[in-house]
Amino acid sequence: MDQTFDASIYVRAPIINIANGVTLASALVAACPEAAPENVAKACTKLKAAGEAGQKALTARRRENGALSEDDVRVLDREADTSFGALRMRLVATSMLPEARFPHARRAGELVQELFGDDGLSFLTAEYSAQNTVMASILAHIEEAGLKPEIDAIAGPEFLEQIGNVLPRYDAMVKDKLQKEAAATSNLATYVRSIQSAIVNYATKIAGMVDEDEPETIEAVRKALRPLDAHREAGARRGQGGAKGEATNSAPAAPPATETGADDGALGAPG
């Protein structure tokens, strides 16, 4: 049995996000020695409280995100997709008519290229914020170039009227989602830092139980801190692409100067 114990690997803030941070806190609490000294027991109680607070915050965030009604968002997204798609289809269809009989045919083809370019409607498959930007740029070009009368004459006024109706609603939806996501990330980061701090405090107290002259204390401490070993090893495997799991692209930091990483408030310590 190894008679040495390196406390330094346990008393630094682990790289966590809110979800795996809550799981790690719970595992450490469950592994706490039954006959732990009073200072360890107090640290364990604080860790349990931090984990439970994080769990409540995560639950609240998911409930809040649910209140956004993803079904409504998808319906609005489809409306925007079909609105721009219908305009392009109308222009393309007109461009296919014989130019000799329908003078607008050539200009319709030119407008298809001018408004949608070689990428066509590919922007409709982009994320909401990116799609919103492209749609707004198309409408801005129409307004700045004075193309509305021409498009209305070729395609009919209903198309730009519909686009003018859906775009402000789409823009408001995107801004609302971004604001709520930013607020949720900031809020969760606070709970992540709290869990990190509680883990460091607890691990430091547990490490203090080691007596080099009593090997059994080393084994007891290692057992209590085993969840930290498992968490660190899982993170290393994910970093090497050897295991399926949560993203580990959190920004390095050490308490108290921590930084936000992933969108669920991932924080960590330097490796």
Side-chain angles (χ1 to χ4, degrees):
M1 180 184 299
D2 188 355
Q3 303 296 315
T4 61
F5 177 77
D6 182 7
S8 66
I9 63 176
Y10 297 105
V11 297
R12 302 169 67 204
I15 298 174
I16 60 172
N17 56 41
I18 189 66
N20 63 26
V22 167
T23 300
L24 178 57
S26 178
L28 286 168
V29 168
C32 182
E34 294 183 5
E38 183 179 357
N39 66 332
V40 172
K42 287 182 178 180
C44 183
T45 298
K46 290 181 179 179
L47 176 57
K48 181 180 180 181
E52 291 175 346
Q55 179 64 68
K56 290 180 180 178
L58 180 58
T59 301
R61 177 194 174 182
R62 287 173 174 165
R63 188 183 304 116
E64 182 176 305
N65 285 349
L68 291 174
S69 180
E70 285 300 322
D71 285 341
D72 290 342
V73 170
R74 283 191 288 270
V75 169
L76 179 57
D77 183 52
R78 283 196 295 271
E79 182 181 348
D81 290 355
T82 55
S83 298
F84 278 83
L87 173 61
R88 185 177 185 278
M89 288 174 62
R90 183 60 171 245
L91 293 173
V92 168
T94 302
S95 72
M96 298 171 68
L97 297 173
E99 293 182 21
R101 294 183 58 198
F102 302 96
H104 289 321
R106 176 185 293 274
R107 181 55 180 154
E110 293 172 348
L111 286 171
V112 171
Q113 183 64 29
E114 183 175 349
L115 298 179
F116 300 98
D118 295 333
D119 294 331
L121 298 174
S122 62
F123 66 91
L124 298 180
T125 63
E127 61 179 352
Y128 296 136
S129 58
Q131 176 174 334
N132 185 52
T133 299
V134 176
M135 292 192 302
S137 69
I138 292 174
L139 189 58
H141 175 71
I142 291 173
E143 294 174 351
E144 293 170 3
L147 299 178
K148 185 179 184 305
E150 194 172 17
I151 293 174
D152 286 349
I154 295 175
E158 299 85 0
F159 294 92
L160 290 185
E161 179 182 339
Q162 168 57 21
I163 287 175
N165 177 275
V166 72
L167 194 55
R169 290 183 285 124
Y170 198 97
D171 182 65
M173 176 272 289
V174 169
K175 289 178 179 177
D176 181 68
K177 285 180 67 68
L178 290 175
Q179 289 172 357
K180 288 184 177 180
E181 288 171 2
T185 298
S186 175
N187 182 50
L188 291 181
T190 298
Y191 287 97
V192 170
R193 284 191 289 269
S194 178
I195 293 173
Q196 284 181 311
S197 178
I199 288 175
V200 170
N201 178 56
Y202 173 74
T204 300
K205 299 297 192 299
I206 284 285
M209 294 172 55
V210 169
D211 184 338
E212 297 288 353
D213 296 325
E214 298 181 16
E216 63 274 13
T217 64
I218 296 178
E219 183 58 27
V221 167
R222 283 178 175 156
K223 183 177 180 181
L225 297 178
R226 198 159 292 157
L228 274 172
D229 291 330
H231 176 80
R232 186 172 57 250
E233 291 166 3
R237 289 196 299 272
R238 287 194 296 271
Q240 297 170 357
K244 182 180 180 181
E246 299 175 24
T248 57
N249 61 336
S250 51
T258 50
E259 299 177 1
T260 301
D263 63 0
D264 53 0
L267 300 171

